[in-house]
Amino acid sequence: MRPKAPGPVPTATLWCVLATGLVSALLFGDGLGVNLILVAIPATLAAYAAARAAGRRARPWTLVWGVGGLALLGIPALHDAGWPTFLAVVGAVGLASLALHGGRTWRAVLFGPIGLFDSVGSGIGWAGRGLREMVDGSRGRAAVVLRTTAVAVGLLVVFGALFAGADAAFADLLGALMPDVDSVADVPLRVLSFAVGLLGALAAARTAAAPLRWDRLKGRPGRPHGRLEWALPLIVLNLLFAAFNAVQLAVLLGGYERVFSETGLSRAEYARQGFWQLLWATLLTLAVIGLALRWAPRGGARDRTLVRGVLGTLCLLTLVVVASALRRMDLYVDAYGLTRLRISVAAMELWLGVVIVLIMAAGVLGARRLPLPRAVAASAAVGVLAFGLMSPDALVAEQNVRRYERTQQIDIGYLDGLSADAVPALDRLPEPLRSCALAGIEAELEGPGTPWYATSWSERRARDILAERGVSTEGYLCTPWRDGFQEESGGEGGYDGADPYVPHGG
């Protein structure tokens, strides 16, 4: 599984690794934005130079993973919310590991990121040997490079200072473009950012030159069972799924009001009672399918037909369960409004449905025509990218504002904690609800401006909106009364109902 030691580190790789460390030290520390892409570019070039020197060539899937990773790093440049940014960064690391390692199996998909950490220690020694060889072989050229760099930097400093003194607009432009490194307190953070960027780029280059071969890690295949022993439990499970789906169809045709009257449950209680159970049912079904494939009979064409028929039926019935879970969440949101948790678990349930469709497609087309591990990884990356691009905080605010326009019910205490992505939707609320909803966001955006490389597009748009219309809560109590509120037990979003934001003394 472990490859041979790579050859000498290319000079281009060393320069790109150093550039990654410097860019990390300059641009990290003020937040995340386009600086993630600016750091990823030299790191990608370092890995490319190392792979090319080692004789590795980019394949179509390598380009898919690489481009997908860079696209995910664009999420922080567009939106302000931290949780989609976290998912995007984690997804980008996963796609980077796939691009560097390659591989078609589940082991390559799941264990690839471990190879990046494995390359940190070996990458330091690899770079040290390369530096010694470069210095020994080019002592005269190193002096020329240092002199040339010193002259270029000196010219930039001298003429840049002159032009900045001659024109205030040019001075402002330079001030906006140059990172702020004046504070002594920032030095430890800058040093840490330099080390992380340097070691990260070095690990990526070392992995690109000599990756761990996860596909060579073989597991013991499961023992095939007899047809009756294997199929009978799954057929019983299919019958249970079919009975549940038949009840769901009867409820849909008969109307939910009849179910509410017979069970005594409210719309929200019925939705809350069902969604989480159906989500767990979907997850457990995927586990059952994985174990069933491991222990499936493998005697010939008849066994393959049996496996496809039984598991295909289970997948179809599970898709109906996924649709039912999403319908329950729709009822839940209609009763209590949309929150971050609810949109997250609904997105996860939707992605699990996509995975089930991919399993069915792989069963029909075969593993060669549709490599399931790669397809699932690609669907997860597309899901994270779509989740970040649609701006979940903005969707939460938009849905709750529409619900207020329809029912006059809103939870300002929850919306006040959203990110700057929610400002355009919350700006439509009438006063004083608008100011109460935007007060917390405005407080987060106050203070010195964030540098351009750490400012998202949503944050700039929110600042423009708040600067144009302002926020004023003077004379109003922005803490809702709890008397008479309908509270949701065990859920996210706190209390609900009509929030009486009244003047002081009212």
Side-chain angles (χ1 to χ4, degrees):
M1 190 179 93
R2 189 173 294 278
K4 297 180 180 179
V9 57
T11 304
T13 295
L14 290 176
W15 284 112
C16 289
V17 167
L18 179 60
T20 304
L22 291 175
V23 174
S24 300
L26 292 173
L27 301 187
F28 283 155
D30 299 298
L32 297 180
V34 72
N35 48 9
L36 281 175
I37 297 179
L38 296 178
V39 170
I41 289 175
T44 303
L45 294 176
Y48 173 76
R52 188 174 181 85
R56 298 185 69 198
R57 297 293 181 266
R59 297 182 178 180
W61 276 104
T62 306
L63 297 178
V64 169
W65 303 134
V67 173
L70 290 175
L72 286 175
L73 292 182
I75 297 297
L78 295 175
H79 300 300
D80 181 55
W83 52 305
T85 294
F86 172 77
L87 293 176
V89 172
V90 171
V93 172
L95 293 187
S97 71
L98 288 174
L100 295 171
H101 287 94
R104 298 170 52 92
T105 64
W106 285 110
R107 295 176 180 85
V109 171
L110 297 177
F111 300 146
I114 299 176
L116 293 175
F117 295 100
D118 178 77
S119 296
V120 173
S122 58
I124 295 175
W126 182 54
R129 292 191 301 270
L131 281 173
R132 287 195 300 269
E133 294 175 3
M134 186 178 69
V135 171
D136 293 339
S138 59
R139 293 184 182 275
R141 284 184 293 174
V144 173
V145 170
L146 290 176
R147 288 197 303 268
T148 304
T149 303
V151 171
V153 171
L155 291 174
L156 286 175
V157 170
V158 172
F159 284 94
L162 290 174
F163 289 145
D167 188 87
F170 186 77
D172 291 340
L173 177 62
L174 285 182
L177 293 178
M178 294 299 293
D180 183 13
V181 292
D182 295 336
S183 177
V184 177
D186 288 343
V187 172
L189 180 59
R190 303 289 179 180
V191 172
L192 178 62
S193 298
F194 175 81
V196 171
L198 186 78
L199 294 178
L202 192 57
R206 174 62 171 75
T207 303
L212 292 174
R213 301 294 184 180
W214 294 106
D215 285 346
R216 298 177 183 175
L217 185 63
K218 301 298 182 182
R220 181 178 300 177
R223 182 178 63 85
H225 287 57
R227 294 175 185 171
L228 180 62
E229 180 186 8
W230 179 86
L232 182 59
L234 294 176
I235 291 174
V236 172
L237 183 61
N238 281 342
L239 292 175
L240 177 63
F241 271 64
F244 176 80
N245 292 336
V247 172
Q248 298 304 297
L249 181 61
V251 170
L252 181 63
L253 295 177
Y256 287 99
E257 298 302 329
R258 179 180 176 183
V259 177
F260 302 151
S261 62
E262 292 179 354
T263 61
L265 297 174
S266 67
R267 179 181 294 266
E269 290 171 339
Y270 176 78
R272 182 173 63 243
Q273 184 187 60
F275 175 80
W276 294 102
Q277 289 87 338
L278 296 181
L279 176 62
W280 278 108
T282 307
L283 288 169
L284 291 176
T285 301
L286 290 175
V288 168
I289 292 173
L291 294 174
L293 288 174
R294 180 176 175 81
W295 296 326
R298 309 183 187 97
R302 295 181 62 184
D303 286 338
R304 288 195 296 271
T305 301
L306 174 65
V307 170
R308 289 179 178 178
V310 173
L311 293 185
T313 302
L314 181 59
C315 287
L316 283 173
L317 295 173
T318 306
L319 287 179
V320 180
V321 172
V322 170
S324 178
L326 293 174
R327 176 55 182 159
R328 298 290 182 100
M329 179 54 70
D330 182 59
L331 293 173
Y332 199 38
V333 169
D334 184 65
Y336 286 123
L338 190 62
T339 65
R340 289 173 169 176
L341 176 62
R342 291 163 200 165
I343 194 173
S344 298
V345 294
M348 181 181 178
E349 180 73 18
L350 185 61
W351 175 70
L352 292 176
V354 172
V355 172
I356 292 172
V357 172
L358 291 175
I359 293 174
M360 297 172 63
V364 174
L365 300 176
R368 290 188 176 182
R369 297 179 65 182
L370 181 62
L372 187 59
R374 285 177 171 175
V376 172
S379 69
V382 171
V384 172
L385 181 62
F387 189 72
L389 291 177
M390 73 181 184
S391 185
D393 271 18
L395 285 180
V396 169
E398 180 68 28
Q399 195 276 343
N400 280 277
V401 169
R402 290 183 179 177
R403 180 170 174 266
Y404 170 77
E405 294 170 349
R406 186 178 71 253
T407 65
Q408 299 300 301
Q409 294 180 347
I410 194 168
D411 184 358
I412 293 296
Y414 179 80
L415 299 178
D416 180 62
L418 297 178
S419 67
D421 301 338
V423 169
L426 298 180
D427 188 56
R428 302 205 319 263
L429 288 171
E431 294 289 0
L433 291 178
R434 174 189 171 275
S435 291
C436 288
L438 295 177
I441 301 175
E442 185 195 39
E444 296 234 348
L445 296 178
E446 281 182 348
T450 308
W452 64 272
Y453 49 81
T455 303
S456 67
W457 175 75
S458 289
E459 189 175 348
R460 290 196 297 269
R461 180 182 57 179
R463 289 180 185 274
D464 293 339
I465 293 174
L466 295 176
E468 179 182 353
R469 298 191 57 190
V471 172
S472 176
T473 58
E474 184 177 358
Y476 288 94
L477 290 173
C478 285
T479 302
W481 293 349
R482 286 182 177 273
D483 297 338
F485 279 20
Q486 179 185 5
E487 295 198 10
E488 175 192 349
S489 58
E492 182 185 351
Y495 40 80
D496 204 345
D499 301 325
Y501 290 76
V502 297
H504 287 299

